[in-house]
Amino acid sequence: MRTFVLSLFTLATAISDAEKSLGKFLVNRTDPVEPCFRAEFVIKFRNGGDTVDFTDIKPILGLNNDNVNNITSNCDRLQIDNIPNESGGSFSLAIDINIREEAEGADWWEVNEINYTGYDTEGNDLGTFKNDSMQRISAPLAGTWGQSFLCNAGFDVELWNEDQDKFVTINLARLQIQPHKVPEDTFANPVICEEGKNINIVIPAIVGSILGVLVLVVLVTYIIGRKRTRIAYQEI
Ligand SMILES: *[C@@H]1O[C@H](CO)[C@@H](O)[C@H](O)[C@H]1NC(C)=O
Ligand SMILES: *[C@@H]1O[C@H](CO)[C@@H](O)[C@H](O)[C@H]1NC(C)=O
Ligand SMILES: *[C@@H]1O[C@H](CO)[C@@H](O)[C@H](O)[C@H]1NC(C)=O
Ligand SMILES: *[C@@H]1O[C@H](CO)[C@@H](O)[C@H](O)[C@H]1NC(C)=O
Ligand SMILES: *[C@@H]1O[C@H](CO)[C@@H](O)[C@H](O)[C@H]1NC(C)=O
């Protein structure tokens, strides 16, 4: 019984971490005020040259809309600030969108550039790293809402400094992103990435929450049960 409860507890912690690691971001246009850039993803970070595998790196927890820089962000650009770096510094991440005409009258949006700026504990700028060959993240803009881009499996992006002698790597998973024409509280129909066409191992949030509640119920029942047993013993 104890092992069972312990493994349930581990599962509950894992599910809760999985939920906390999914950062959700929304940028609004001002006139009229309505969403025009929606994004969510789990992000992992690795210094250039580190050989550790991303499966052994913990995702960054607790990112949300409070991290969105609402001055520099707009319908073409999402900037996320104050992302904690494990040594006490932080970094900003900006995702830049470009609209291109795929064919006569058929517009697509694409991620044009992702850049990273590191800061030390005092907030001093440690330099910018970027990747401006990101066209893999793209989707049509046709129709009322256009389409979002979805990649559950995720992928790595190398970001290089200006002198091209230093880089960092980020891993983006459970990524969904949609600029410009964005439904009020959801994403439009997605274009699925190559990596995501075969596998989909993500536990959806609802299933996660139900499991979480179940785990709590079992745990509470177990604890109450144990107390009763103890009291019963003491009475003998
Ligand atoms: C955009 O609007 C939503 C809903 O009103 C709000 O929750 C969110 O914080 C806004 N985004 C930014 C970056 O201010
Ligand atoms: C922009 O962000 C700041 C700091 O998070 C917040 O105080 C302010 O209300 C936001 N402005 C808008 C228009 O959302
Ligand atoms: C990211 O790139 C954009 C476009 O090149 C630039 O305007 C912006 O300053 C960069 N952001 C950072 C944090 O360096
Ligand atoms: C993370 O923060 C530390 C402490 O400020 C800093 O020395 C280090 O260079 C930062 N790492 C990166 C990759 O920016
Ligand atoms: C952008 O990232 C991809 C994937 O990591 C990499 O293959 C490509 O070389 C990078 N491009 C630049 C300009 O750094």
Side-chain angles (χ1 to χ4, degrees):
M1 182 68 191
R2 177 158 296 171
T3 334
F4 175 65
V5 170
L6 269 182
S7 52
L8 271 184
F9 198 73
T10 316
L11 178 68
T13 315
I15 290 170
S16 138
D17 275 359
E19 280 321 302
K20 268 188 270 174
S21 65
L22 183 66
K24 298 185 182 181
F25 314 101
L26 183 65
V27 179
N28 308 301
R29 62 165 64 88
T30 43
D31 200 16
V33 176
E34 58 183 17
C36 75
F37 199 143
R38 183 184 296 281
E40 57 185 56
F41 47 81
V42 173
I43 182 168
K44 292 181 182 178
F45 172 82
R46 185 173 69 201
N47 267 310
D50 284 2
T51 48
V52 53
D53 196 87
F54 269 118
T55 49
D56 298 326
I57 295 179
K58 286 214 165 64
I60 294 160
L61 301 183
L63 297 180
N64 60 41
N65 228 27
D66 294 342
N67 297 82
V68 174
N69 184 322
N70 58 15
I71 295 159
T72 55
S73 299
N74 54 50
C75 309
D76 286 308
R77 172 126 188 261
L78 170 66
Q79 183 173 328
I80 302 164
D81 289 342
N82 300 319
I83 307 174
N85 137 350
E86 59 185 14
S87 326
S90 71
F91 64 91
S92 291
L93 202 68
I95 302 176
D96 259 43
I97 301 293
N98 180 36
I99 306 289
R100 69 181 150 90
E101 194 175 19
E102 185 79 338
E104 180 77 23
D107 285 344
W108 280 55
W109 64 265
E110 69 189 3
V111 170
N112 173 45
E113 173 174 317
I114 295 186
N115 61 24
Y116 161 106
T117 307
Y119 298 94
D120 68 11
T121 37
E122 269 91 52
N124 297 310
D125 193 326
L126 298 172
T128 294
F129 298 70
K130 68 177 186 180
N131 186 319
D132 53 12
S133 49
M134 287 300 305
Q135 299 88 335
R136 54 179 299 145
I137 308 181
S138 63
L141 257 183
T144 316
W145 298 124
Q147 282 186 267
S148 63
F149 175 88
L150 175 67
C151 197
N152 275 328
F155 49 83
D156 300 348
V157 182
E158 269 180 17
L159 305 149
W160 287 81
N161 69 348
E162 203 174 349
D163 295 338
Q164 298 279 310
D165 59 1
K166 273 203 282 185
F167 70 100
V168 300
T169 309
I170 55 170
N171 173 274
L172 298 171
R174 296 172 69 189
L175 172 83
Q176 190 161 15
I177 169 171
Q178 183 172 14
H180 284 265
K181 302 196 283 181
V182 187
E184 192 59 42
D185 45 29
T186 183
F187 287 100
N189 184 27
V191 167
I192 312 266
C193 65
E194 282 303 318
E195 296 86 342
K197 287 201 168 123
N198 308 314
I199 40 164
N200 185 348
I201 49 163
V202 171
I203 306 174
I206 293 179
V207 178
S209 317
I210 294 175
L211 267 177
V213 169
L214 268 180
V215 167
L216 264 182
V217 169
V218 170
L219 206 62
V220 167
T221 320
Y222 171 69
I223 290 169
I224 292 176
R226 240 180 39 164
K227 273 208 181 125
R228 287 230 177 97
T229 322
R230 269 215 204 113
I231 292 167
Y233 274 131
Q234 278 166 358
E235 278 171 357
I236 289 174

